[in-house]
Amino acid sequence: MNIQRLPVFKSGNILKQEMMESLKQYMVDYTILRYSGYSDGILRGCNLTVTDNRVTLHSGIFILGGMPFYIKDTFSILSKPTNTVKAIIMRAGEVEYERCYETKGVELLMADLEDISHTDVEICRFRLQQGAKLRYQYRDLEDMSTEFDTICLVHSQWAAFGGNSLSYYVLHQFAADMLKTNGATQEDRQFIGQIFAANGESLAPECINSYTAGRLNRPYEERKVDEMYADLLQVLKMAKTGKKGMAARDMKERRIIVD
């Protein structure tokens, strides 16, 4: 049984088309298998900066249509003040065929929320007012959901095994804020360890939802990315104040003792 067949490049061997094809196919197959089961979205990197209201997307990896893409060059797009919510999205372009290459294009677009399709990947959204400057740096986790004049990553679509997940940059901000509190539990520290161990990738949605369900004392349920953010924000506020989850207090208040 042949498991792996790789070309051998050495003196005396004739370079054949089949040899190059097998090498190409091996790399394509490996990449697809490596991220099999992952949702579409940002996988790593793709951080954003803003200069003179131009939003720049930096290098990284994302998955679109089940296929991993590597962004080597930066992309820049002008953000105009409209006082309405705009989103920056990635959309698959046309496949172009040349003599030596097959090129799968990707477009970086500014779109209204209602124009985003299920095949697009949302990078960020913002609401820029006239005369204001767009910012991309945050004071803390809560500041990341500021409505006006701020790059919002709360709804950003990140690739993860099993479904879309929360932005790694949101998770990293949560971890940084939680480490500053005096109310972090052992469960919090274990979750923070998972964030750092992910090495720039997001966590599986089940991992985040399981953690927040336990900390908020409620049954496990699937959550959207903005709901995951709201849950983490609530956990962080609990850690800062030393309070327990709402569900735990409700259960205690409704307890009936029968003699």
Side-chain angles (χ1 to χ4, degrees):
M1 178 176 64
N2 288 328
I3 298 177
Q4 181 173 282
R5 189 167 182 260
L6 295 177
V8 177
F9 301 102
K10 67 178 183 180
S11 178
N13 283 4
I14 299 175
L15 182 62
K16 299 178 181 179
Q17 181 179 349
E18 303 90 80
M19 297 170 67
M20 301 305 296
E21 284 289 337
S22 64
L23 185 61
K24 181 201 76 172
Q25 196 59 46
Y26 174 79
M27 296 304 299
V28 171
D29 290 345
Y30 171 80
T31 303
I32 294 175
L33 181 62
R34 168 66 178 83
Y35 296 111
S36 176
Y38 277 62
S39 63
D40 283 1
I42 300 170
L43 185 64
R44 177 190 291 270
C46 296
N47 65 304
L48 299 167
T49 57
V50 181
T51 304
D52 297 328
N53 281 348
R54 291 195 70 89
V55 182
T56 300
L57 177 71
H58 295 268
S59 62
I61 306 173
F62 66 93
I63 299 177
L64 193 58
M67 176 66 69
F69 288 85
Y70 172 57
I71 301 176
K72 181 179 180 180
D73 301 319
T74 59
F75 289 86
S76 184
I77 190 167
L78 180 63
S79 57
K80 298 179 181 179
T82 62
N83 201 25
T84 59
V85 179
K86 296 287 185 179
I88 296 179
I89 62 172
M90 281 187 288
R91 176 174 294 171
E94 298 293 331
V95 179
E96 298 180 2
Y97 296 94
E98 303 173 16
R99 180 179 178 182
C100 299
Y101 296 98
E102 175 186 304
T103 304
K104 296 180 179 179
V106 176
E107 298 178 287
L108 189 68
L109 303 172
M110 187 84 68
D112 295 320
L113 298 185
E114 58 268 22
D115 295 331
I116 302 176
S117 73
H118 69 281
T119 57
D120 297 328
V121 170
E122 179 176 336
I123 306 300
C124 70
R125 63 177 63 175
F126 57 85
R127 184 172 181 174
L128 183 60
Q129 301 176 100
Q130 191 69 39
K133 291 185 178 181
L134 195 61
R135 66 186 182 99
Y136 64 97
Q137 295 175 317
Y138 313 98
R139 296 187 297 273
D140 51 29
L141 184 66
E142 188 170 12
D143 188 39
M144 299 188 84
S145 59
T146 300
E147 180 181 1
F148 293 97
D149 312 320
T150 305
I151 292 289
C152 179
L153 303 177
V154 171
H155 306 272
S156 178
Q157 184 177 334
W158 274 65
F161 187 79
N164 293 132
S165 194
L166 197 57
S167 165
Y168 169 77
Y169 299 113
V170 174
L171 292 174
H172 189 274
Q173 186 65 59
F174 167 81
D177 290 356
M178 180 62 80
L179 289 174
K180 297 176 184 177
T181 72
N182 295 321
T185 65
Q186 184 61 31
E187 189 177 2
D188 298 328
R189 295 187 181 92
Q190 290 176 349
F191 182 66
I192 290 172
Q194 289 179 296
I195 294 174
F196 291 140
N199 294 323
E201 295 185 13
S202 186
L203 299 177
E206 292 86 355
C207 178
I208 301 173
N209 293 330
S210 176
Y211 163 71
T212 54
R215 287 290 277 117
L216 298 174
N217 291 298
R218 70 173 185 216
Y220 173 88
E221 62 177 335
E222 294 183 1
R223 308 282 279 174
K224 297 179 181 178
V225 290
D226 57 325
E227 295 172 331
M228 294 181 196
Y229 166 79
D231 292 342
L232 290 177
L233 187 58
Q234 185 177 351
V235 170
L236 183 61
K237 290 180 178 179
M238 285 166 43
K240 289 179 178 180
T241 59
K243 294 181 180 180
K244 296 182 178 179
M246 291 294 294
R249 295 202 300 272
D250 291 345
M251 290 174 61
K252 186 175 181 180
E253 291 170 0
R254 298 172 185 173
R255 187 178 301 162
I256 299 176
I257 299 176
V258 179
D259 189 357

